[in-house]
Amino acid sequence: MTRKFTYVALALVLFCSLGAFAQAATPAAAAGSGTKIGIINVEEAIVSSNEGQRDFAAMMAKYKAPNDELQAKSKELEDLRNQLKTQSNVLSDEKRAEIAGSIQEKEKNAQRFFDDNQAKVQKEQGEIANRIGQKLLKVIDVYAKNNGYSVILDVSAPQSPVLWANAQGGVVITKEIVDAYNAQSGVPAQPKPAAGAGAGPRPGTSAPKPAGTAAPKPAGTTTAPK
């Protein structure tokens, strides 16, 4: 069975912590104490900020050439597989073995190329998220103090105690924090791509990857369809 590769832009991993604001409190416990609760999705705030949109778009543009090369490798492999499948009856044993060996070698090269670029994408996404996240914490600190919040809960944190939250138990402040961050960063709103223009995948979305062996995927990646 032919396996299709999927070029995966890894989901953002936020390395900073909001523990100082969450104070290990659950929404129910905080609400019972009469404190003012703020709810934020830090991952969403990072990606939707002007700076985040600019830097992630620049990163994806930087990896367009490797992605195009990956698609070319995938097309070459697909052509060889089709040749082996459709001409198998007329090819000599020697020629079939030659094509099969070429497919195997190209699959290994494509997988290595994918793994190398995937690692680079993961590292760069983490660096961008960490840099913006650290500055975002300062904005949250000022906003929380100025608006009388006792607890700010991040619903996007992997280890967050928040399983579910809405404005009834607290005020969602993601947009307000993004607006405050944009004002402080000085980065202008990013232009929207023209209708029909290829803007490229956003962080966390999928794009084509060349096919081959089923190598194990790091946590946070999307499993390629078989």
Side-chain angles (χ1 to χ4, degrees), residues 118-136:
Q118 183 186 46
K120 292 176 183 177
V121 169
Q122 183 180 26
K123 181 176 182 292
E124 193 161 339
Q125 282 190 342
E127 289 172 349
I128 294 172
N130 188 47
R131 171 172 48 79
I132 297 177
Q134 292 296 336
K135 293 188 288 184
L136 194 70

Side-chain angles (χ1 to χ4, degrees), residues 7-9 55-73 113 117-118 120-121 124 197-201 207-210:
Y7 184 65
V8 178
D55 292 355
F56 283 117
M59 185 200 73
M60 297 309 295
K62 177 174 144 182
Y63 287 101
K64 183 181 184 304
N67 189 42
D68 289 346
E69 184 175 348
L70 207 54
Q71 292 185 23
K73 291 178 184 292
F113 183 84
N117 282 281
Q118 183 186 46
K120 292 176 183 177
V121 169
E124 193 161 339
K209 173 198 165 192

Side-chain angles (χ1 to χ4, degrees), residues 1 3 7 20-21 25 35 47 49 54 56 65 75 78 82 98-99 108 118 157 160-161 167 173 179 187:
M1 182 182 295
R3 292 190 179 105
Y7 184 65
F21 298 104
T35 58
V47 175
S49 68
R54 180 196 66 186
F56 283 117
K75 178 65 167 58
E78 190 67 23
N82 286 335
E98 178 186 334
I99 295 175
K108 290 179 181 178
Q118 183 186 46
S160 171
I173 61 170
D179 290 343
V187 177

Side-chain angles (χ1 to χ4, degrees), residues 93-199:
D93 291 344
E94 181 181 355
K95 187 62 176 178
R96 281 198 300 270
E98 178 186 334
I99 295 175
S102 178
I103 290 173
Q104 186 176 20
E105 185 62 28
K106 288 179 184 298
E107 283 179 346
K108 290 179 181 178
N109 291 337
Q111 183 68 49
R112 191 179 305 113
F113 183 84
F114 167 73
D115 289 342
D116 289 346
N117 282 281
Q118 183 186 46
K120 292 176 183 177
V121 169
Q122 183 180 26
K123 181 176 182 292
E124 193 161 339
Q125 282 190 342
E127 289 172 349
I128 294 172
N130 188 47
R131 171 172 48 79
I132 297 177
Q134 292 296 336
K135 293 188 288 184
L136 194 70
L137 285 175
K138 298 177 182 178
V139 174
I140 295 171
D141 180 49
V142 172
Y143 183 90
K145 290 174 180 175
N146 289 345
N147 290 274
Y149 286 95
S150 299
V151 177
I152 303 294
L153 298 170
D154 176 19
V155 296
S156 69
Q159 302 301 322
S160 171
V162 184
L163 298 180
W164 181 88
N166 69 6
Q168 293 178 358
V171 180
V172 179
I173 61 170
T174 304
K175 183 181 184 303
E176 288 76 6
I177 293 299
V178 171
D179 290 343
Y181 186 87
N182 287 340
Q184 178 175 298
S185 71
V187 177
Q190 300 303 292
K192 296 184 182 301

